[in-house]
Amino acid sequence: DLVSTARVVNGVASDGVTQVVVNVTGTLPGENLSLEIVDSGLASAAGGQASGDGGLATLGSSAFQASPLTFRADGGGNAFALYKAPVDFVNTLSDSTSASRTLDLHLSSFDDPTFTADCEITVVRPLVMLIHGLWSSSGATWGTFTPLVNDHRFEVVYGDYNVLPFGGVFASIPFWD
């Protein structure tokens, strides 16, 4: 039931918490599958797998593991796995200067060696929110924080306490007991 209401995503923030359901369709009923995380930047490394690429688990499990993950399709030819975002964004030296990096989920079948598929996942740096105090402004507090505001790896957006969110507050009725 959840598949019909799911939203397709192509990426995750490297927060170590985000989980994405990987939905595999078109397999044979009961087909034995393997899902592997391949870091595109490490394609020349052995298997392309790095420790900071996140983890995989079967649906309903909380035991995430490094790839590959072995799982099985259901009677309708559908299979599901979980991908968990990496804890840290930087995995190689070149990642330290990047705003995002790409991983590849490689699917293969033990039962039919010709059945393979690949899906790219973009991993981005996690959101960091800096909130200034009440008696200051975002520009005055963070505008001169040049290590952050001049860094191309981060998108910096200022909030302002003087601007009402969502068009304003229409009613505020406190509840007194």
Coordinates of all heavy atoms in Angstrom, one line a residue, residues 3 9 19-25 33-37 55-59 64 69 71 78-84 105-107 117-119 121:
V3 N 3.7 1.8 -1.5 CA 4.4 2.0 -2.8 C 3.6 3.0 -3.6 O 4.1 3.9 -4.2 CB 4.6 0.7 -3.5 CG1 5.2 1.0 -4.9 CG2 5.6 -0.2 -2.7
V9 N 12.6 9.6 -4.7 CA 13.7 10.5 -4.4 C 15.0 10.0 -5.1 O 15.1 8.8 -5.4 CB 14.0 10.5 -2.9 CG1 12.8 11.1 -2.1 CG2 14.3 9.2 -2.3
Q19 N 16.6 7.1 5.7 CA 16.5 5.8 5.1 C 15.6 5.9 3.9 O 14.6 6.6 3.9 CB 15.9 4.8 6.1 CG 16.7 4.5 7.3 CD 16.1 3.6 8.3 OE1 15.2 2.8 7.9 NE2 16.5 3.6 9.5
V20 N 16.0 5.2 2.8 CA 15.2 5.2 1.6 C 14.8 3.8 1.2 O 15.7 2.9 1.3 CB 16.1 5.8 0.4 CG1 15.4 5.7 -0.9 CG2 16.5 7.2 0.7
V21 N 13.6 3.6 0.8 CA 13.2 2.2 0.4 C 13.5 2.1 -1.1 O 13.2 2.9 -1.9 CB 11.6 2.1 0.6 CG1 11.2 0.7 0.1 CG2 11.3 2.2 2.1
V22 N 14.2 1.0 -1.4 CA 14.5 0.7 -2.8 C 13.5 -0.4 -3.2 O 13.4 -1.4 -2.6 CB 16.0 0.1 -2.8 CG1 16.3 -0.3 -4.3 CG2 17.0 1.0 -2.3
N23 N 12.7 0.0 -4.2 CA 11.7 -0.9 -4.8 C 12.1 -1.5 -6.1 O 12.4 -0.7 -7.0 CB 10.4 0.0 -4.9 CG 9.2 -0.8 -5.5 OD1 9.3 -2.1 -5.5 ND2 8.2 -0.2 -6.0
V24 N 12.2 -2.8 -6.1 CA 12.6 -3.5 -7.3 C 11.4 -4.2 -7.9 O 10.8 -4.9 -7.2 CB 13.7 -4.5 -7.0 CG1 14.2 -5.2 -8.3 CG2 14.9 -3.9 -6.4
T25 N 11.1 -3.9 -9.2 CA 9.9 -4.5 -9.8 C 10.4 -5.2 -11.1 O 11.5 -5.0 -11.6 CB 8.9 -3.5 -10.2 OG1 9.5 -2.5 -11.1 CG2 8.3 -2.7 -9.0
L33 N 18.2 -12.0 -5.2 CA 18.9 -10.7 -5.7 C 20.0 -10.3 -4.8 O 20.1 -10.6 -3.6 CB 17.9 -9.6 -5.7 CG 16.6 -9.9 -6.6 CD1 15.5 -8.9 -6.3 CD2 17.0 -9.9 -8.1
S34 N 20.9 -9.5 -5.4 CA 22.0 -8.9 -4.7 C 22.0 -7.4 -5.0 O 21.9 -7.0 -6.1 CB 23.3 -9.5 -5.1 OG 24.4 -8.8 -4.5
L35 N 22.1 -6.6 -3.9 CA 22.2 -5.1 -4.1 C 23.5 -4.6 -3.5 O 23.8 -5.0 -2.4 CB 21.0 -4.4 -3.4 CG 20.8 -2.9 -3.6 CD1 20.5 -2.6 -5.0 CD2 19.7 -2.4 -2.7
E36 N 24.2 -3.9 -4.3 CA 25.6 -3.4 -3.9 C 25.7 -1.9 -4.0 O 25.2 -1.3 -5.0 CB 26.6 -4.1 -4.7 CG 28.0 -3.7 -4.4 CD 29.0 -4.5 -5.2 OE1 28.7 -5.1 -6.2 OE2 30.2 -4.3 -4.9
I37 N 26.3 -1.2 -3.1 CA 26.6 0.2 -3.2 C 28.0 0.4 -3.8 O 29.0 -0.2 -3.4 CB 26.6 0.9 -1.8 CG1 25.3 0.6 -1.0 CG2 26.9 2.4 -1.9 CD1 25.4 1.0 0.4
G55 N 24.6 2.2 4.3 CA 24.4 0.8 4.5 C 23.1 0.3 3.9 O 22.2 1.0 3.4
L56 N 22.9 -1.0 3.8 CA 21.8 -1.7 3.3 C 21.2 -2.7 4.3 O 21.9 -3.2 5.1 CB 22.2 -2.5 2.0 CG 22.7 -1.7 0.8 CD1 23.3 -2.6 -0.2 CD2 21.6 -0.8 0.2
A57 N 19.9 -2.8 4.2 CA 19.2 -3.8 5.1 C 17.9 -4.3 4.3 O 17.4 -3.7 3.4 CB 18.8 -3.1 6.4
T58 N 17.4 -5.4 4.8 CA 16.2 -5.9 4.3 C 15.0 -5.1 4.9 O 15.2 -4.5 6.0 CB 16.0 -7.4 4.6 OG1 16.1 -7.6 6.0 CG2 17.0 -8.2 3.8
L59 N 13.9 -5.0 4.2 CA 12.8 -4.2 4.7 C 12.3 -4.8 6.1 O 12.2 -6.0 6.2 CB 11.6 -4.3 3.7 CG 10.6 -3.2 3.8 CD1 11.2 -1.8 3.6 CD2 9.5 -3.4 2.7
F64 N 21.7 -2.7 9.5 CA 22.2 -2.2 8.3 C 23.7 -2.8 8.2 O 24.4 -2.9 9.2 CB 22.2 -0.7 8.2 CG 20.9 -0.1 7.9 CD1 20.0 0.1 8.9 CD2 20.5 0.1 6.6 CE1 18.8 0.6 8.7 CE2 19.2 0.6 6.3 CZ 18.4 0.8 7.4
L69 N 24.0 -6.8 -0.2 CA 22.9 -7.3 0.5 C 22.2 -8.3 -0.4 O 21.9 -8.1 -1.5 CB 21.9 -6.2 0.8 CG 20.6 -6.6 1.5 CD1 20.8 -7.0 2.9 CD2 19.6 -5.5 1.4
F71 N 18.8 -10.5 -0.9 CA 17.4 -10.5 -0.5 C 16.6 -11.2 -1.6 O 17.1 -11.6 -2.7 CB 16.9 -9.1 -0.2 CG 17.0 -8.1 -1.3 CD1 15.8 -7.5 -1.9 CD2 18.2 -7.7 -1.9 CE1 15.9 -6.6 -2.9 CE2 18.3 -6.8 -2.9 CZ 17.1 -6.3 -3.4
N78 N 8.1 -8.5 -6.8 CA 8.6 -7.2 -6.2 C 9.6 -7.5 -5.1 O 9.4 -8.5 -4.4 CB 7.4 -6.4 -5.7 CG 6.4 -6.1 -6.8 OD1 6.8 -5.4 -7.7 ND2 5.2 -6.6 -6.7
A79 N 10.6 -6.7 -5.0 CA 11.5 -6.9 -3.9 C 11.8 -5.5 -3.3 O 11.7 -4.5 -4.0 CB 12.8 -7.5 -4.4
F80 N 12.1 -5.5 -2.0 CA 12.3 -4.2 -1.3 C 13.6 -4.3 -0.5 O 13.9 -5.4 0.1 CB 11.1 -3.9 -0.4 CG 9.9 -3.7 -1.2 CD1 9.0 -4.8 -1.4 CD2 9.5 -2.5 -1.7 CE1 7.8 -4.6 -2.1 CE2 8.3 -2.3 -2.4 CZ 7.5 -3.4 -2.6
A81 N 14.3 -3.3 -0.4 CA 15.5 -3.2 0.5 C 15.5 -1.7 1.0 O 14.8 -0.9 0.6 CB 16.8 -3.5 -0.3
L82 N 16.3 -1.5 2.1 CA 16.5 -0.2 2.6 C 17.9 0.3 2.4 O 18.9 -0.5 2.5 CB 16.2 -0.2 4.1 CG 14.8 -0.4 4.6 CD1 14.7 -0.6 6.1 CD2 13.9 0.7 4.2
Y83 N 18.1 1.5 2.1 CA 19.4 2.2 2.0 C 19.4 3.2 3.0 O 18.5 4.0 3.2 CB 19.6 2.8 0.6 CG 20.8 3.7 0.6 CD1 22.1 3.2 0.6 CD2 20.7 5.1 0.6 CE1 23.2 4.0 0.6 CE2 21.8 5.9 0.6 CZ 23.0 5.4 0.6 OH 24.1 6.2 0.7
K84 N 20.5 3.2 3.8 CA 20.6 4.2 4.9 C 21.8 5.1 4.5 O 22.9 4.7 4.2 CB 20.9 3.6 6.2 CG 20.9 4.5 7.4 CD 21.1 3.7 8.7 CE 21.0 4.6 9.9 NZ 21.2 3.8 11.1
L105 N 23.7 2.3 -6.9 CA 23.1 1.0 -6.4 C 23.1 0.0 -7.5 O 22.4 0.3 -8.5 CB 21.7 1.2 -5.8 CG 21.6 2.1 -4.5 CD1 20.2 2.1 -4.0 CD2 22.5 1.5 -3.4
H106 N 23.8 -1.0 -7.4 CA 23.9 -2.0 -8.5 C 23.1 -3.3 -8.1 O 23.4 -3.9 -7.0 CB 25.4 -2.4 -8.8 CG 25.5 -3.4 -9.9 ND1 25.2 -3.2 -11.2 CD2 25.8 -4.8 -9.8 CE1 25.4 -4.3 -11.9 NE2 25.8 -5.3 -11.0
L107 N 22.1 -3.6 -8.8 CA 21.3 -4.8 -8.6 C 21.7 -5.9 -9.5 O 21.8 -5.7 -10.7 CB 19.8 -4.4 -8.8 CG 18.8 -5.5 -8.6 CD1 18.7 -5.9 -7.1 CD2 17.5 -5.1 -9.2
A117 N 20.6 -4.1 -12.9 CA 20.1 -2.7 -13.0 C 20.9 -1.8 -12.1 O 21.6 -2.3 -11.2 CB 18.6 -2.7 -12.6
D118 N 21.0 -0.5 -12.5 CA 21.7 0.4 -11.7 C 20.9 1.7 -11.5 O 20.1 2.0 -12.3 CB 23.0 0.9 -12.5 CG 24.0 -0.3 -12.6 OD1 24.7 -0.5 -11.6 OD2 24.0 -0.9 -13.7
C119 N 21.1 2.3 -10.3 CA 20.3 3.5 -9.9 C 21.3 4.4 -9.2 O 22.0 4.0 -8.2 CB 19.2 3.1 -9.0 SG 18.3 4.5 -8.4
I121 N 22.3 7.5 -6.8 CA 21.9 8.3 -5.6 C 22.9 9.4 -5.4 O 24.1 9.2 -5.3 CB 21.8 7.4 -4.4 CG1 20.7 6.3 -4.5 CG2 21.5 8.2 -3.1 CD1 20.5 5.5 -3.3

